[in-house]
Amino acid sequence: MTIVVPIAWKDGAVEYLDQTKLPAAEVYRTTRDESEIAEAIKTLAIRGAPLIGIAAAYGIVLAMNRIRHVGRETVAMHFEQAHHLLATTRPTAVNLFWALDRMRQVFEQHRSDEIKRLCERLLKEAMAIHQEDAEMCERISEHGEKLLPAGATVLTHCNTGRLATGGRGTALGIIERAWELGALKNVYIAETRPLLQGARLTAWELARRGVPATLITDHTGAFLMQQGRINAVVVGADRIAANGDVANKVGTYSLAIAAHHHGIPFFVAAPSSSIDFETVRGSLIPIEERRVEEITTIAGTTIAPEHATAYAPAFDVTPYQLIAAIVTEHGVVQPPNAASLRSLRSAPSHRERVGVGT
Ligand code: MRU
């Protein structure tokens, strides 16, 4: 079984897997247009916090490549337009803004270079963001797997695997590694209403890898915990505030409350690019609201009365007190809080440790 690659730079274009079509069809699209990347992020054809950042970085490269032949005086304007377009796609995953900031730094350093050279530098940075994420996933899975008891049955929510990152995934990377080492018995996958990232994407990824998994509705998790059938909950993050509060797919918070009630460890796995030290607590994290049609319809069929009022936040915030540990590429932060997370601020970034040049 070939390993799924959700995004790749190929011959001056971006090839991406349209995740809205999974699991029915594996549709790859190729584009040289940053507006298509922006649209793909908005519609969740490209999704998952780290992957959104990677895609936005490539989007900047596409935008600048397209204007290679326009006058130098408009280069900065084109950069700002592309930056704005990509930065206004989704508000919660901080990886998007982190990756765009890195692209801006390279732009500022090389803005007086000839355009061809500037584009080469931007592409190099986008590829570094992509590659570093793959490496961060490896480290996260190594650190996180050790937290799971032998023969563990774990519960996960949403999709945090290869479809969501530049590598093997965060929470799902830990799960996959535990299975490779023979330390995992089963994974319960919450379906993840309303867009079904658990049912459509995680179940698909784990089946491709041959990892034993059982799909449940979003409300079955607490019942399984009550029955003693879950050893740990492992999820990802879209943004981690400076105090350790975690924004992740809506439904995460309820699982954390249930896990806390039953004394089951609740682990969050994310690269350091998901930590936002500027946001002091979770209540300040902007939470994306999706179109209500995403919950009033299923596969195009209306399931609520006409004019029913609906509310569709895409994420919720889990307070740090409910989280046993946050696993990043630097190691395990246990328990997470403002003081323990602060130590990561001075940790060398991945690029410094592997010596990626600018
Ligand atoms: O709306 P999505 O599908 O982009 O939400 C994704 C999640 O909530 C993931 O848990 C998170 O981005 C981490 S992915 C490694």
Side-chain angles (χ1 to χ4, degrees), residues 44 47-50 90 158 160 164-165 170 197 237-238 248-249 315:
L44 274 59
R47 48 146 303 278
R90 297 189 75 189
C158 199
T160 59
T165 64
T170 56
Q197 288 92 332
D238 282 82
N248 191 49
K249 180 56 57 192
F315 303 100

Side-chain angles (χ1 to χ4, degrees), residues 44 46-52 90 93 95 157-161 164-165 169-171 195 197 201 235-238 247-250 252 269-271 274 288 290 314-315:
L44 274 59
I46 295 173
R47 48 146 303 278
L51 195 69
I52 292 172
R90 297 189 75 189
N95 312 62
H157 191 58
C158 199
N159 174 268
T160 59
T165 64
T170 56
L195 298 181
Q197 288 92 332
L201 309 178
V235 298
D238 282 82
N248 191 49
K249 180 56 57 192
V250 68
T252 302
S274 300
E288 177 182 10
R290 303 285 303 176
F315 303 100

